[in-house]
Amino acid sequence: MRANCWMGRGKVEVQDVPDPQILNSHDAIVRISSAAICGSDLHLYDGFIPTMKKGDVLGHEFMGEVVEVGPEVRNLRPGDRVVVPFPIACGHCWACENELFSVCENSNPNAGMAEKLLGHAPAGIYGYSHMLGGFPGGQAEYARVPFADVNPIKIEDDLPDEKVLFLSDIFPTGWIGAEMADIHDGDVVAVWGAGPVGQFAIASAFLMGAERVIAIDRFPYRLRRVERMGADPLDYEEGIDIPDALRDMTGGRGPDSCIDAVGLEAHHATPMYAYDRAKQATRLETDRPFVLREAIRSCRNGGTVSVIGVYGGFVDKFPMGSFMNRSLTLRGAQCHVQKYLRPLLDRIQRGDIDPSFVISHHMSLDDTPHGYRIFRDKEEECNKVVLHP
Ligand SMILES: [Zn+2]
Ligand SMILES: [Zn+2]
């Protein structure tokens, strides 16, 4: 089959690779009809996630048609249309029973690698490094889906792929970002990062009762998009000091909730950014936490900071004094997607939200390398690329 492979920093290639096979009685093989490129794929592309190997098949946002199931998979049959969540969960461990699917204790065969870096291991994730299981991803014609009796959601009506594909990651990820931010009716919420995940966090914050959402980014086309969604855009490259602006916009108090939808490759035009670049280049810190620092310092006293942007390892100059003395709550997660599949599909079916609003580009699988490049370099007003194998 054809698949998009990681070939080193800044390089992906569509290659012929072996077809996936059923390896376990709970597996299914899915013929992929739509897949997407995610902002977190860019961290792999840029070489910031350790334990990648040349030839690894990328992609953790995909859906398609079941073509084969293992003997223990009784809830799916060939021909079923499914969306596959990006974290792989066994459904039966302590974490899964507590709906903490992205930290499943059974799905990551390389848990020992992750423990060295993180202390304890999270779940396996498709196409997201050997530390997270080394599972071939879904930017491909076919994928092997482990624990297929637990993970995918069947799409039983004729909703098009583009409305349900993002249940695999970015819609639930934006949703959990807003949920962890503890939003109440009338709250003011600030979201750093107006990319697709930030856009879903904004949409979710409004659905949860936020009165005002302020979105921080530097790309005018993304800020225009979030403005159309009803958010107030702030462009930090226009010489605006973001914490000052947020204070002014909230009567001096600060936003009730702050959501970091940027993560480890934060950018900024200040000396602190140069400091982070230098420390990251010399491997004295793995991640550039500019947004995390700014979100913590901007949040109102007693407020909540929610982290859905991806971090890999260690950060420097963490504002612990601000966090502790001002009674903040800090939460983070890789989304427990399985928990949100049904309720968010219900919302799509009811018409509360049409997730296809994020799509800017449709491409064939063979054009995936071009998709990565324009998404990373923010060319052609690239917001979200959907691939059609
Ligand atoms: Zn993703
Ligand atoms: Zn589990």
Side-chain angles (χ1 to χ4, degrees):
M1 68 163 184
R2 303 285 286 162
N4 180 51
C5 301
W6 188 88
M7 296 304 288
R9 189 174 200 157
K11 194 166 182 205
V12 296
E13 264 177 34
V14 180
Q15 299 182 345
D16 289 317
V17 303
D19 287 354
Q21 309 286 334
I22 299 272
L23 301 178
N24 181 289
S25 55
H26 294 270
D27 289 352
I29 303 296
V30 171
R31 181 195 296 129
I32 294 163
S33 55
S34 298
I37 303 173
C38 181
S40 58
D41 289 327
L42 297 180
H43 304 316
L44 304 170
Y45 190 49
D46 291 342
F48 287 110
I49 304 291
T51 75
M52 290 297 291
K53 291 185 191 161
K54 251 189 187 171
D56 284 349
V57 177
L58 297 175
H60 58 266
E61 302 182 354
F62 59 96
M63 64 177 295
E65 182 191 328
V66 174
V67 291
E68 195 182 348
V69 293
E72 299 291 330
V73 180
R74 303 209 170 82
N75 57 328
L76 296 176
R77 57 180 58 184
D80 284 345
R81 205 165 147 241
V82 291
V83 176
V84 180
F86 77 86
I88 300 168
C90 77
H92 303 291
C93 69
W94 176 87
C96 287
E97 285 185 350
N98 286 282
E99 299 188 306
L100 299 167
F101 298 100
S102 75
V103 289
C104 170
E105 295 164 345
N106 285 327
S107 66
N108 185 350
N110 299 330
M113 281 162 106
E115 283 166 5
K116 281 202 190 99
L117 181 65
L118 305 175
H120 296 270
I125 294 180
Y126 295 97
Y128 216 81
S129 84
H130 289 266
M131 180 176 90
L132 297 180
F135 292 96
Q139 289 164 2
E141 289 179 291
Y142 294 88
R144 170 185 163 240
V145 174
F147 301 109
D149 44 343
V150 172
N151 289 297
I153 187 167
K154 218 192 287 191
I155 305 296
E156 316 226 33
D157 57 20
D158 55 3
L159 284 169
D161 280 20
E162 58 182 39
K163 285 196 180 188
V164 291
L165 170 62
F166 304 122
L167 287 170
S168 59
D169 178 359
I170 57 172
F171 180 18
T173 293
W175 184 269
I176 199 177
E179 191 176 83
M180 290 189 298
D182 191 28
I183 296 165
H184 297 94
D185 279 345
D187 277 358
V188 179
V189 179
V191 178
W192 278 257
V197 167
Q199 289 161 24
F200 277 112
I202 290 165
S204 302
F206 280 128
L207 286 169
M208 290 176 194
E211 183 172 301
R212 186 174 192 190
V213 180
I214 302 162
I216 300 140
D217 204 289
R218 65 175 161 138
F219 296 103
Y221 74 93
R222 303 213 298 197
L223 289 166
R224 282 197 300 274
R225 274 180 176 264
V226 298
E227 195 170 16
R228 285 199 295 272
M229 298 173 68
D232 295 326
L234 276 186
D235 182 346
Y236 66 76
E237 283 199 332
E238 283 187 343
I240 297 171
D241 181 80
I242 296 299
D244 278 354
L246 291 173
R247 198 179 294 116
D248 290 347
M249 292 165 90
T250 53
R253 186 178 283 159
D256 300 290
S257 304
C258 292
I259 299 175
D260 172 358
V262 174
L264 68 92
E265 289 188 75
H267 164 275
H268 208 265
T270 58
M272 190 51 110
Y273 174 69
Y275 170 91
D276 281 330
R277 288 291 296 210
K279 293 214 67 160
Q280 197 177 41
T282 51
R283 301 188 178 276
L284 292 169
E285 67 176 344
T286 56
D287 302 4
R288 303 197 299 259
F290 192 90
V291 162
L292 182 63
R293 294 186 196 112
E294 198 164 77
I296 289 173
R297 292 169 56 84
S298 300
C299 196
R300 75 153 157 80
N301 290 350
T304 302
V305 177
S306 164
V307 182
I308 46 175
V310 170
Y311 286 87
F314 298 91
V315 304
D316 201 9
K317 298 243 184 299
F318 182 86
M320 193 63 204
S322 177
F323 169 68
M324 185 271 162
N325 286 289
R326 300 196 303 107
S327 219
L328 300 182
T329 299
L330 176 64
R331 297 198 62 186
Q334 286 280 13
C335 185
H336 307 295
V337 175
Q338 289 83 343
K339 176 179 175 183
Y340 301 97
L341 287 171
R342 177 58 57 191
L344 295 184
L345 177 60
D346 287 348
R347 282 188 178 269
I348 296 168
Q349 284 169 329
R350 285 205 305 266
D352 291 355
I353 184 167
D354 173 359
S356 65
F357 76 88
V358 294
I359 300 171
S360 60
H361 290 72
H362 289 274
M363 288 182 194
S364 75
L365 181 64
D366 285 332
D367 291 330
T368 309
H370 176 68
Y372 269 72
R373 198 180 56 72
I374 62 169
F375 187 35
R376 181 193 60 190
D377 298 341
K378 310 293 180 283
E379 290 174 7
E380 301 177 21
E381 305 209 343
C382 184
N383 192 63
K384 186 74 177 174
V385 177
V386 176
L387 305 167
H388 300 280

